[in-house]
Amino acid sequence: MKIGILTSGGDCPGINATIRGVCKTAINHYGMEVVGIHSGFQGLLEKDVEILTESSLSGLLNQGGTILGTSREKPFKKKNLATGINKPAIIAEHIKELGLECVVCIGGNGTQKTAAKFADMGVNIVSVPKTIDNDIWGTDFSFGFDTAVSIATDAIDRLHSTASSHKRVMVIEVMGHKAGWIALYSGMAGGGDVILLPEIPYDIKRIGETIINRVKKGKPYSIVVVAEGIMTDGKRRVAEYIAQEIEYETGIESRETVLGYIQRGGAPNSFDRNLATRMGGHATELIANREYGRMVALKGDDIISLPLSEVAGKLKLVTEDHDLVIQGRKMGICFG
Ligand code: F6P
């Protein structure tokens, strides 16, 4: 049996570990042949592929990024269909011509939506949830998230010394797209005093009061962790906006840091390596059992799978009853 594998959407730590998990299981355990597809769905449009062998897989476990390359190609996007070029049909045809029994799609929400549409067309697809945002519905965690949280937490730790030395407010902006998972987990792990999430509305005056109250209690500096997706005036970067608004409200010097793509770079941590390995192996098992149209997922300690039709188009967002929000509030942390 010959299978294809592609990586689509934003890169993150752990993609190569997933590729390794899929391919080593497929080659060693099931005797499959694996075709690596370059640059996500674009590679299927262009039949830009390579055969993956054991030697292609060495040194992948702790390598950041994706050896296959990625793109944000969305074949079902209306503008694509409007050009008269039927990209989905071309891709389905190329999958047949390449002799692929199934394609493993590693990607975020956009990829899961595309995978579900191909599954509806009768193309054999199995998908693996991938994103640092952790906003894919149906899985407790996606690989990439824990490493991004570790990177952001380390950055927040480093801000405490400069904030206390200068008696400043330090605002750090973390990624997460429309979800606040990275801000919540790194903000709590990094000892944030104020944590702003897209899911919880904030009032800059209340934030100012929190910071002033800290000064009155003899804590002349504060750490503010903000998710990139929170509401602002839309004219400035989130961190710049919040820092300037806080300085205006409190009169305390405030500075901003935008952590950016560092959260997506470098080697995955051990949790993400093992999660990626487990999900990759499980995806191959689904193919061996000819269970197509499904996404692997983490539920508690178990790797399960869900129909893509149940996952596509849904976002998993932070809720106010999340344990970290409840616990943080009890400890006096301001969520806006
Ligand atoms: O989805 C991962 C992510 O890093 C988001 O957190 C961020 O908003 C987005 O990708 C950035 O997209 P791009 O890599 O296309 O700039």
Side-chain angles (χ1 to χ4, degrees):
M1 184 192 281
K2 197 193 295 189
I3 66 172
I5 181 167
L6 65 82
T7 59
S8 171
D11 74 313
C12 79
I15 296 180
N16 283 325
T18 309
I19 293 169
R20 175 178 175 274
V22 169
C23 298
K24 275 186 171 278
T25 309
I27 295 165
N28 285 342
H29 191 67
Y30 292 110
M32 296 173 181
E33 191 185 348
V34 186
V35 174
I37 299 157
H38 296 150
S39 311
F41 291 99
Q42 201 178 313
L44 281 172
L45 277 172
E46 298 159 1
K47 291 170 93 173
D48 179 5
V49 300
E50 64 174 295
I51 299 295
L52 293 177
T53 61
E54 281 278 8
S55 55
S56 341
L57 304 170
S58 57
L60 280 193
L61 191 52
N62 61 350
Q63 193 182 326
T66 160
I67 57 166
L68 295 175
T70 183
S71 71
R72 289 192 184 276
E73 170 61 48
K74 293 187 170 63
F76 291 90
K77 221 166 169 56
K78 292 237 175 354
K79 72 169 172 59
N80 283 331
L81 298 177
T83 58
I85 302 166
N86 189 338
K87 289 187 171 182
I90 294 168
I91 285 174
E93 188 50 36
H94 285 177
I95 289 172
K96 257 199 219 113
E97 289 168 7
L98 289 165
L100 302 179
E101 162 67 19
C102 178
V103 177
V104 178
C105 299
I106 301 170
N109 283 301
T111 306
Q112 304 305 330
K113 249 191 259 180
T114 301
K117 289 193 172 123
F118 274 117
D120 290 346
M121 278 173 66
V123 175
N124 295 338
I125 296 270
V126 161
S127 77
V128 182
K130 168 274 318 165
T131 178
I132 63 167
D133 304 337
N134 195 40
D135 60 355
I136 298 174
W137 191 88
T139 185
D140 292 351
F141 292 105
S142 51
F143 69 80
F145 171 68
D146 196 57
T147 302
V149 168
S150 304
I151 293 167
T153 301
D154 181 62
I156 295 166
D157 285 350
R158 293 173 184 281
L159 290 178
H160 284 262
S161 53
T162 180
S164 62
S165 306
H166 288 263
K167 298 185 180 53
R168 278 172 169 167
V169 174
M170 298 307 283
V171 178
I172 180 168
E173 176 184 325
V174 296
M175 284 184 158
H177 202 210
K178 297 191 178 107
W181 294 107
I182 297 177
L184 176 60
Y185 273 70
S186 64
M188 290 296 284
D193 304 300
V194 178
I195 301 172
L196 302 183
L197 313 177
E199 299 92 338
I200 301 179
Y202 66 91
D203 174 343
I204 205 72
K205 292 197 179 318
R206 212 168 24 237
I207 294 166
E209 283 157 19
T210 300
I211 292 169
I212 294 297
N213 287 340
R214 281 179 48 81
V215 175
K216 287 177 185 160
K217 285 187 217 158
K219 299 176 184 168
Y221 76 93
S222 289
I223 301 293
V224 178
V225 182
V226 301
E228 64 176 348
I230 65 167
M231 292 301 288
T232 64
D233 64 358
K235 301 189 188 88
R236 291 164 279 178
R237 286 243 35 148
V238 165
E240 185 189 3
Y241 172 79
I242 296 293
Q244 289 174 358
E245 290 295 298
I246 287 174
E247 187 160 324
Y248 177 76
E249 278 298 317
T250 64
I252 299 172
E253 258 193 340
S254 304
R255 294 290 185 274
E256 71 272 2
T257 299
V258 177
L259 200 50
Y261 292 86
I262 292 171
Q263 296 159 92
R264 294 204 339 217
N269 65 16
S270 57
F271 176 83
D272 279 340
R273 292 181 202 189
N274 288 329
L275 180 57
T277 297
R278 293 178 68 197
M279 285 189 162
H282 200 93
T284 311
E285 192 179 322
L286 288 174
I287 298 171
N289 300 333
R290 288 176 172 67
E291 290 180 64
Y292 302 129
R294 299 183 75 82
M295 178 188 85
V296 297
L298 177 69
K299 266 283 163 259
D301 290 337
D302 301 324
I303 303 290
I304 60 160
S305 69
L306 300 162
L308 274 163
S309 53
E310 271 183 37
V311 172
K314 290 181 189 167
L315 268 187
K316 184 185 70 187
L317 298 174
V318 178
T319 51
E320 296 219 34
D321 63 353
H322 190 282
D323 196 40
L324 279 174
V325 176
I326 293 171
Q327 185 55 39
R329 281 185 165 142
K330 285 180 184 170
M331 295 158 66
I333 292 162
C334 170
F335 284 88

Short mmCIF file of all heavy atoms in Angstrom, two decimals, residues 72 131-133 175-177 228 261 264, ligand 1:
data_model
loop_
_atom_site.label_atom_id
_atom_site.label_comp_id
_atom_site.label_asym_id
_atom_site.label_seq_id
_atom_site.Cartn_x
_atom_site.Cartn_y
_atom_site.Cartn_z
N ARG A 72 -0.37 27.72 2.79
CA ARG A 72 -1.75 27.92 3.25
C ARG A 72 -2.71 27.75 2.07
O ARG A 72 -3.79 28.31 2.05
CB ARG A 72 -1.89 29.30 3.91
CG ARG A 72 -1.16 29.37 5.26
CD ARG A 72 -1.53 30.61 6.05
NE ARG A 72 -0.78 30.72 7.30
CZ ARG A 72 -1.09 30.13 8.45
NH1 ARG A 72 -2.14 29.33 8.48
NH2 ARG A 72 -0.35 30.29 9.53
N THR A 131 -1.22 22.59 15.70
CA THR A 131 -1.18 24.05 15.83
C THR A 131 -0.67 24.43 17.21
O THR A 131 -0.95 23.73 18.19
CB THR A 131 -2.56 24.71 15.61
OG1 THR A 131 -2.43 26.13 15.81
CG2 THR A 131 -3.62 24.16 16.57
N ILE A 132 0.05 25.55 17.26
CA ILE A 132 0.45 26.04 18.59
C ILE A 132 -0.75 26.65 19.30
O ILE A 132 -0.76 26.81 20.51
CB ILE A 132 1.57 27.11 18.51
CG1 ILE A 132 1.09 28.36 17.75
CG2 ILE A 132 2.87 26.55 17.96
CD1 ILE A 132 2.01 29.57 17.91
N ASP A 133 -1.83 26.97 18.54
CA ASP A 133 -2.98 27.69 19.11
C ASP A 133 -3.85 26.82 20.01
O ASP A 133 -4.62 27.35 20.81
CB ASP A 133 -3.89 28.25 17.99
CG ASP A 133 -3.12 29.14 17.04
OD1 ASP A 133 -2.07 29.66 17.44
OD2 ASP A 133 -3.55 29.27 15.87
N MET A 175 0.95 34.52 20.68
CA MET A 175 0.11 34.11 19.56
C MET A 175 -1.11 33.32 20.06
O MET A 175 -1.35 33.23 21.27
CB MET A 175 0.93 33.25 18.59
CG MET A 175 1.87 34.06 17.73
SD MET A 175 2.70 32.99 16.55
CE MET A 175 3.16 34.18 15.29
N GLY A 176 -1.88 32.79 19.11
CA GLY A 176 -3.06 32.02 19.48
C GLY A 176 -4.23 32.24 18.55
O GLY A 176 -5.27 31.64 18.69
N HIS A 177 -4.02 33.15 17.56
CA HIS A 177 -5.08 33.46 16.60
C HIS A 177 -6.32 33.95 17.36
O HIS A 177 -6.18 34.86 18.18
CB HIS A 177 -5.36 32.23 15.74
CG HIS A 177 -6.01 32.57 14.44
ND1 HIS A 177 -6.87 31.72 13.80
CD2 HIS A 177 -5.96 33.68 13.66
CE1 HIS A 177 -7.31 32.28 12.70
NE2 HIS A 177 -6.77 33.47 12.59
N GLU A 228 -2.90 37.71 21.12
CA GLU A 228 -2.91 38.58 19.92
C GLU A 228 -4.33 38.83 19.40
O GLU A 228 -4.58 39.80 18.69
CB GLU A 228 -2.09 37.95 18.81
CG GLU A 228 -2.65 36.64 18.31
CD GLU A 228 -1.88 36.06 17.15
OE1 GLU A 228 -1.03 36.75 16.56
OE2 GLU A 228 -2.13 34.89 16.81
N TYR A 261 7.05 34.82 16.18
CA TYR A 261 7.32 33.50 15.58
C TYR A 261 8.29 32.64 16.38
O TYR A 261 8.44 31.45 16.10
CB TYR A 261 7.80 33.68 14.13
CG TYR A 261 6.70 34.22 13.26
CD1 TYR A 261 6.47 35.60 13.19
CD2 TYR A 261 5.81 33.37 12.62
CE1 TYR A 261 5.42 36.10 12.46
CE2 TYR A 261 4.75 33.87 11.89
CZ TYR A 261 4.55 35.23 11.82
OH TYR A 261 3.49 35.73 11.10
N ARG A 264 6.90 29.48 17.47
CA ARG A 264 6.68 28.39 16.50
C ARG A 264 7.99 27.74 16.08
O ARG A 264 7.99 26.80 15.28
CB ARG A 264 5.98 28.94 15.25
CG ARG A 264 4.62 29.42 15.50
CD ARG A 264 3.69 29.44 14.34
NE ARG A 264 4.23 29.45 13.01
CZ ARG A 264 3.68 30.15 12.02
NH1 ARG A 264 2.63 30.89 12.27
NH2 ARG A 264 4.17 30.10 10.81
O1 F6P B 1 -1.89 29.32 13.66
C1 F6P B 1 -0.61 29.53 14.17
C2 F6P B 1 -0.27 30.99 14.08
O2 F6P B 1 1.02 31.18 14.56
C3 F6P B 1 -1.22 31.90 14.83
O3 F6P B 1 -1.02 31.86 16.24
C4 F6P B 1 -0.89 33.21 14.19
O4 F6P B 1 -1.92 34.17 14.36
C5 F6P B 1 -0.76 32.79 12.72
O5 F6P B 1 -0.32 31.44 12.73
C6 F6P B 1 0.23 33.62 11.94
O6 F6P B 1 0.07 33.22 10.58
P1 F6P B 1 1.27 33.37 9.51
O7 F6P B 1 2.29 32.34 9.84
O8 F6P B 1 0.60 33.11 8.18
O9 F6P B 1 1.79 34.77 9.66
#
